[in-house]
Amino acid sequence: MTRTRTNPDFLNGIPELLILEHLTRRPMYGYELVRAIEESSGQQFQFGEGCIYPLLHRLEEAGHLSSKRETVAGRSRVIYRVTAPGKRKLAETIESWQRVVDTVNHILEGHQDGLPAVS
Amino acid sequence: MTRTRTNPDFLNGIPELLILEHLTRRPMYGYELVRAIEESSGQQFQFGEGCIYPLLHRLEEAGHLSSKRETVAGRSRVIYRVTAPGKRKLAETIESWQRVVDTVNHILEGHQDGLPAVS
DNA sequence: CCGCCATACCTTACGGTTCGAGGCATGACA
DNA sequence: TGTCATGCCTCGAACCGTAAGGTATGGCGG
């Protein structure tokens, strides 16, 4: 398959980025993570469980997350934490994101400030 | 129906943004636009014609672009320009994009305590 | 003159991602 | 006892970008 992407990711992919970022700071379980993302984004991002859970499974299967089961007050939770490869992936992902942002903003700036693209 | 989106666009949507931005500066035809986007992004974005043409049609149908046919050296071109509503849409779109960027970057910068809420 | 490439328009099939709406099970609390 | 919050999960639909086509013309080398 190999998909040979001509474009970087992150034209979507923000959920994945935020999952890795949040879990790097602090291991969490899915339900908790869903609300943490909501809160840390000031309610701007509301990725439902239908988005987050499958991503957690995919990331774990890829070796970027590890999980352990925990039972608290009769409640079973699956706690995820970021593995070493996961941290590497996060770094790459952030870099890729910044590149997209820089590129888009650079294009947009040529217009707003009349920066006449001094070539 | 009506899809009531809880998330802003622009987790994808960069092609649309760039089309409006480029055509605001200078009317172009599709084929030209495809390469203009490639060039202005330093080859980072390579949205093929299969992405751009349908978008041009959709934007025109929505009233954000107008088109006129032109024949140069026996070659038929469809020149697109941004309408007044299209300019408004571009402004909104840029604002939405900036909001996403700010939110993500704010999270990446590490403050765990919700947003300082510049409402 | 023929073949091929660049120009210029277009569409279709496909895959990946997110979204909404569910389903299941337990504990807390009124 | 019933209803809510917690906590896990999956499925179908919708949407977007990609690759890979198809059509037609003009210019060029051979």
Side-chain angles (χ1 to χ4, degrees), chain A:
Chain A
M1 290 295 152
T2 340
R3 282 271 294 113
T4 57
R5 329 189 38 102
T6 58
N7 282 312
D9 250 329
F10 289 119
L11 312 184
N12 19 357
I14 274 111
E16 194 181 276
L17 168 61
L18 294 185
I19 287 176
L20 288 171
E21 171 68 20
H22 277 82
L23 292 182
T24 290
R25 296 196 196 152
R26 173 165 70 90
M28 296 194 223
Y29 51 100
Y31 194 75
E32 191 184 7
L33 182 60
V34 169
R35 330 265 276 303
I37 290 179
E38 260 182 57
E39 207 229 321
S40 70
S41 73
Q43 321 300 319
Q44 245 203 77
F45 301 138
Q46 300 188 3
F47 303 115
E49 305 176 11
C51 173
I52 298 301
Y53 280 119
L55 258 170
L56 287 172
H57 301 157
R58 218 186 306 156
L59 285 168
E60 181 175 20
E61 190 164 8
H64 298 122
L65 298 180
S66 68
S67 72
K68 99 180 121 100
R69 206 152 200 111
E70 207 183 78
T71 300
V72 173
R75 284 240 154 73
S76 174
R77 297 168 174 175
V78 184
I79 313 257
Y80 291 92
R81 72 178 59 237
V82 180
T83 62
K87 280 171 199 181
R88 254 176 279 130
K89 173 160 177 86
L90 173 57
E92 289 163 20
T93 299
I94 289 178
E95 210 180 321
S96 175
W97 158 254
Q98 294 291 2
R99 216 172 16 246
V100 169
V101 170
D102 288 348
T103 303
V104 172
N105 282 344
H106 179 263
I107 293 175
L108 292 182
E109 269 154 33
H111 179 62
Q112 290 190 349
D113 265 320
L115 270 201
V118 199
S119 49

Side-chain angles (χ1 to χ4, degrees), chain A residues 6-8 10-12 14 17-18 21-22 25 39-42 44-47 94 97-101 103-105 107-108 110-111, chain B residues 6-8 11-12 14 17-18 21-22 24-25 40-41 44-47 94 97-101 103-105 107-108 110-112 115:
Chain A
T6 58
N7 282 312
F10 289 119
L11 312 184
N12 19 357
I14 274 111
L17 168 61
L18 294 185
E21 171 68 20
H22 277 82
R25 296 196 196 152
E39 207 229 321
S40 70
S41 73
Q44 245 203 77
F45 301 138
Q46 300 188 3
F47 303 115
I94 289 178
W97 158 254
Q98 294 291 2
R99 216 172 16 246
V100 169
V101 170
T103 303
V104 172
N105 282 344
I107 293 175
L108 292 182
H111 179 62
Chain B
T6 58
N7 284 309
L11 312 182
N12 19 353
I14 274 110
L17 168 60
L18 293 185
E21 172 67 20
H22 278 82
T24 291
R25 295 193 198 157
S40 69
S41 72
Q44 246 203 78
F45 302 138
Q46 300 187 5
F47 304 114
I94 289 178
W97 158 255
Q98 295 291 3
R99 219 177 7 250
V100 169
V101 171
T103 303
V104 171
N105 283 343
I107 292 174
L108 292 182
H111 315 103
Q112 192 62 289
L115 282 180

Side-chain angles (χ1 to χ4, degrees), chain B:
Chain B
M1 308 288 168
T2 335
R3 281 268 300 104
T4 56
R5 325 188 43 100
T6 58
N7 284 309
D9 249 330
F10 290 124
L11 312 182
N12 19 353
I14 274 110
E16 193 181 276
L17 168 60
L18 293 185
I19 287 176
L20 288 170
E21 172 67 20
H22 278 82
L23 292 183
T24 291
R25 295 193 198 157
R26 172 165 71 88
M28 294 194 223
Y29 52 99
Y31 194 75
E32 191 185 7
L33 182 59
V34 169
R35 331 264 279 299
I37 290 179
E38 260 182 58
E39 207 231 322
S40 69
S41 72
Q43 320 301 318
Q44 246 203 78
F45 302 138
Q46 300 187 5
F47 304 114
E49 307 177 10
C51 173
I52 298 301
Y53 281 118
L55 259 170
L56 287 173
H57 301 156
R58 218 186 307 156
L59 285 168
E60 181 175 19
E61 189 164 7
H64 297 123
L65 297 180
S66 68
S67 72
K68 98 183 124 101
R69 205 152 200 111
E70 207 184 76
T71 300
V72 173
R75 284 244 154 70
S76 174
R77 297 169 173 173
V78 184
I79 313 256
Y80 291 92
R81 73 179 58 239
V82 180
T83 62
K87 280 171 201 186
R88 254 175 279 132
K89 174 163 178 79
L90 173 58
E92 288 162 20
T93 300
I94 289 178
E95 210 181 322
S96 175
W97 158 255
Q98 295 291 3
R99 219 177 7 250
V100 169
V101 171
D102 288 348
T103 303
V104 171
N105 283 343
H106 180 265
I107 292 174
L108 292 182
E109 268 153 33
H111 315 103
Q112 192 62 289
D113 38 22
L115 282 180
V118 178
S119 58

